[in-house]
Amino acid sequence: MQPLEPLILGIESSCDETAAAVLRGRTIESNIVASQVDIHREYGGVVPELASRHHLERIDAVVDLALREAEVALADLDAVAVTCGPGLVGSLLVGIQMAKAIAWVRGLPLVAVNHLEGHLRSVWLEHPGVELPALSLVASGGHTSMYLSRTEDETVLLARTRDDAAGEAFDKVAKLVGLGYPGGPIVDRLAPTGDRCAVRLAPPRMSDGSLDFSFSGFKTAALRHAQAHGLEATFPAGEPDQATRDLLASFQSSVVEFMVQRALTAARREGARSICLSGGVACNTLLRARVAEEAGKAGLRSYAVSRQLAVDNAVMIAEVGRRKFLRREFAGWDLNADPGLEL
Ligand code: KG4
Ligand code: ZN
């Protein structure tokens, strides 16, 4: 008999977090994330070779800790779920090999998970019963896309970014004025101390009526402004001056308003009843507030994933794994990393 509340081990290693989590049904029994941010910070971004090496060094301990915190043994598990893409190939392979080894040794089903589906479902795990159709905005460091779900099991891609991801734009703009990595949380913290109307950064114009995103124009305009006003890389250690804070406030406001406007247009066009926000950029204070405000005005419900589950984690991987386990959608031993996997 298949358990209704299966015990699933989730493993995530697609980018720079080594993560493992245990889910019993929909209950989070443990959620371990070993971040590599401190390692990549000095390079101003993720270095793929370093990322895979550190995943390899840490994955045993991370999985062990997830099991111990959940107070379960490998013998108790019903399945092992692992991210198979998108992401960095060398990093993905570390998680996949670990999951295969556990599944093989314990005779457990192996479940392959799309990282983006993990982000999308993280909101639904925390907010069961989201009104459908639901419009999901998934904004992270590697991806920025919108999806429509008419039912819980059917997800259609509506729009994606044509260039940078939203989080990537935050990271690059923070870097160009000499602030640290990752830039998103730093911009989030500093923007309220600046004037968001100080610098005009125009949203991209798309003549084809597409709902797609584009963030490279915001980044280039910010770069030009920084060059013209001598704001480049001037504050490696200290706190930025007012002109830099104004630029960050203007950048954040422009990017957020662009995403909010896109999400609302998509929701209206598709007849969605709710808007769901996930991915690392869903941590952004202004984005969370503006989505809630505009959705409310439009008579839509809105849901943002908690900050804890917004950034990369293995709970969201275990959650997708749980659903696939119940449908008996298992992967074969030939499961491989798929760096460009789409949703
Ligand atoms: O989902 P995530 O942890 O990893 C990927 O799948 O990419 O997202 C990381 C991204 C980074 O670009 C980071 O700067 C951004 O999320 N981020 C934020 C905030 N916190 C994290 N961006 C804006 N505001 C934040 N508070
Ligand atoms: Zn992610």
Side-chain angles (χ1 to χ4, degrees):
M1 259 272 286
Q2 182 149 293
L4 283 176
E5 301 240 303
L7 198 59
I8 310 284
L9 170 67
I11 297 178
E12 153 66 37
S13 66
S14 65
C15 190
D16 61 345
E17 334 277 356
T18 317
V22 174
L23 213 52
R24 186 188 303 273
R26 301 174 67 110
T27 307
I28 301 171
E29 299 287 349
S30 63
N31 177 20
I32 307 298
V33 181
S35 174
Q36 299 182 4
V37 159
D38 291 339
I39 292 152
H40 300 286
R41 184 172 284 128
E42 77 175 275
Y43 304 95
V46 178
V47 183
E49 288 78 4
L50 287 181
S52 43
R53 194 189 311 158
H54 282 91
H55 284 307
L56 208 51
E57 279 171 10
R58 292 173 176 185
I59 193 133
D60 281 338
V62 167
V63 168
D64 193 47
L65 195 54
L67 294 168
R68 270 194 289 142
E69 242 182 47
E71 296 182 0
V72 299
L74 285 177
D76 303 326
L77 296 173
D78 291 303
V80 185
V82 64
T83 307
C84 62
L88 303 168
V89 66
S91 293
L92 288 164
L93 283 170
V94 175
I96 291 173
Q97 287 313 117
M98 185 70 185
K100 277 186 186 174
I102 295 172
W104 176 266
V105 167
R106 305 303 319 184
L108 296 170
L110 179 68
V111 185
V113 176
N114 182 318
H115 180 85
L116 297 172
E117 185 177 357
H119 277 304
L120 187 141
R121 290 210 177 266
S122 62
V123 191
W124 301 357
L125 174 66
E126 291 186 318
H127 302 278
V130 159
E131 292 80 357
L132 301 170
L135 184 283
S136 296
L137 170 59
V138 181
S140 72
H143 301 269
T144 302
S145 308
M146 283 194 296
Y147 303 90
L148 184 75
S149 303
R150 293 202 182 278
T151 69
E152 277 211 14
D153 293 313
E154 170 221 15
T155 293
V156 178
L157 177 72
L158 294 179
R160 57 153 60 97
T161 179
R162 293 188 179 179
D163 40 56
D164 294 346
E168 194 181 353
F170 272 93
D171 295 341
K172 286 180 177 170
V173 166
K175 190 175 176 181
L176 76 89
V177 291
L179 297 167
Y181 171 84
I186 301 170
V187 176
D188 193 349
R189 177 173 65 83
L190 292 171
T193 63
D195 174 6
R196 66 182 170 78
C197 301
V199 187
R200 191 177 137 65
L201 303 166
R205 263 190 254 141
M206 284 177 198
S207 49
D208 55 4
S210 158
L211 290 167
D212 277 353
F213 296 99
S214 166
F215 296 99
S216 69
F218 291 117
K219 178 195 64 190
T220 308
L223 173 65
R224 294 234 177 81
H225 180 89
Q227 284 170 338
H229 295 80
L231 306 177
E232 292 161 279
T234 39
F235 306 98
E239 285 288 293
D241 64 3
Q242 194 56 45
T244 302
R245 291 167 194 266
D246 290 348
L247 174 61
L248 297 178
S250 303
F251 166 78
Q252 175 178 270
S253 167
S254 308
V255 165
V256 164
E257 292 313 315
F258 173 58
M259 287 195 280
V260 170
Q261 172 264 320
R262 279 285 196 267
L264 270 118
T265 306
R268 258 187 243 114
R269 198 183 282 183
E270 301 294 333
R273 293 175 62 210
S274 60
I275 297 183
C276 301
L277 191 58
S278 61
V281 182
C283 290
N284 188 266
T285 313
L286 183 65
L287 180 63
R288 296 172 82 88
R290 290 289 297 134
V291 166
E293 197 176 328
E294 290 303 315
K297 277 192 215 161
L300 304 172
R301 296 299 306 270
S302 71
Y303 303 90
V305 68
S306 67
R307 286 182 167 88
Q308 197 195 5
L309 294 192
V311 288
D312 286 350
N313 66 85
V315 169
M316 66 187 197
I317 305 307
E319 166 60 1
V320 178
R322 179 184 71 87
R323 302 179 63 93
K324 288 186 138 185
F325 171 82
L326 293 175
R327 291 201 304 268
R328 305 191 66 75
E329 269 182 61
F330 303 141
W333 298 117
D334 58 351
L335 175 66
N336 206 349
D338 187 348
L341 186 65
E342 295 190 357
L343 179 62

